[in-house]
Amino acid sequence: MRIVGVVGAGQMGNGIAHVVALGGHEVVLSDIAKERAEQALGIIRHNLERQVNRELITQDEMDKAIARISITDNLAHMKDADLVIEAASEKENIKVAIFKELCETLKPEALLATNTSSISITRLASSTDRPEKFIGMHFMNPVPIMKLVEVIRGIATSEETYKIAREFVSDLGKDVAIAEDFPAFIVNRILLPMINEAIYTLYEGVGSVEAIDKAMRLGANHPMGPLQLADFIGLDTCLSIMQVLYEGLADTKYRPCPLLVKYVEAGWIGRKVGRGFYDYSTEEPTPTR
C-alpha cells in the first residue's frame, strides 16, 4: 500500500489521511471542493502539532507526514493508488457515484474500501467493477485518537483483500474488530439506538438536555453524554444510520425519533454548524432545550 487515496476531506477523511500519512504511506486526499481539502490539510497540520506538543510524535515525524499528503479535487489523480478509502457523506447514492467514477480511473489491482458506518458492504461493492477487492474499514471519530477500526467483508470480498486490509489497519497502530455485514455493524448497532433513545427521552419530556447528559455521564460513567455525542457525530449522520437500521432490520425499535428528524430538517445538525442539542456560538456550549 505505497499510495493511499482518501475521498472526502471532512472530519473522517482528514483523520484517516492523518493516520495513514503518519503510518508512512503517500496520501492523495480528494474532495469535490478543493478549498475543503486545503482546509483539511490545515486541520491535519494543527492536530499533528498537538501530538508533537504532547510528545506523542517527533517534529521530524510530523514534517514527513505532512510532506506525504497531496490534495486534489479530481478523482483521476487516484490513478496510481494501491488502495482508496472512501470517507464521503453517509448517503448511499453519493458513495455509489464516487465508486463508479473511481473505477474508471483505478488500476485493476487497486483495492477499494469504504468508511461507511452502517451501509451494506456487499451492496456498495456490487456498484464497482471489483467486488472481490472491496472491503469496509470503519474508522472511529476522532481517528487519530480512537484505537478501533471495524473491518467488514462483503459477500464477494476475497480472502486476500481481507488479509491485506487487516494488515494495513494493524500497521497504522489500530486494533481491529471483525464485524459481519449487517446494518450498522457492531459499534453503531449498539451506540446509535442508545443515542436515539436519549433523544426520545428528551422528546417525551422525561429530562432536559442537561439532565439527560449528566445522568449518563455520572450515572453510567460515560465520558460524554449521548446528546453531546450526537452533536459531535452530526445529527444528519445519526439520522442516516438510524434509517439504515430501521429499513434494514424492519424493527420499530429502530424508528428514528421525530425530534431528531426535526433538528436535521432545521439544519441544526451539531457542532459542525454551531447548533444541535447545544448552541456552540458561545465559549461554553449551552443546551437548546
Side-chain angles (χ1 to χ4, degrees), residues 169-282:
V169 170
S170 296
D171 286 348
L172 296 179
K174 302 296 185 184
D175 288 328
V176 173
I178 304 302
E180 292 299 320
D181 190 15
F182 280 81
F185 318 128
I186 297 172
V187 173
N188 283 334
R189 171 77 177 266
I190 297 167
L191 177 64
L192 264 297
M194 183 201 75
I195 289 174
N196 194 52
E197 192 63 28
I199 300 169
Y200 265 114
T201 306
L202 177 66
Y203 178 59
E204 294 167 1
V206 179
S208 65
V209 169
E210 185 177 16
I212 292 165
D213 276 356
K214 181 186 290 185
M216 294 307 291
R217 283 198 315 271
L218 303 183
N221 204 28
H222 289 194
M224 186 183 292
L227 301 176
Q228 183 186 5
L229 179 57
D231 276 358
F232 182 73
I233 294 169
L235 303 190
D236 52 340
T237 300
C238 291
L239 178 58
S240 293
I241 295 169
M242 288 309 302
Q243 287 169 331
V244 167
L245 280 166
Y246 186 44
E247 293 164 10
L249 298 173
D251 193 324
T252 55
K253 73 180 180 180
Y254 298 114
R255 183 172 72 96
C257 178
L259 185 61
L260 173 60
V261 176
K262 280 187 178 180
Y263 267 61
V264 173
E265 288 175 343
W268 298 352
I269 58 174
R271 287 184 60 171
K272 56 190 171 186
V273 298
R275 186 182 178 97
F277 291 113
Y278 290 85
D279 182 346
Y280 298 92
S281 61
T282 56

Side-chain angles (χ1 to χ4, degrees), residues 35 98 114 126 195:
E35 60 270 20
I98 289 169
T114 176
S126 71
I195 289 174

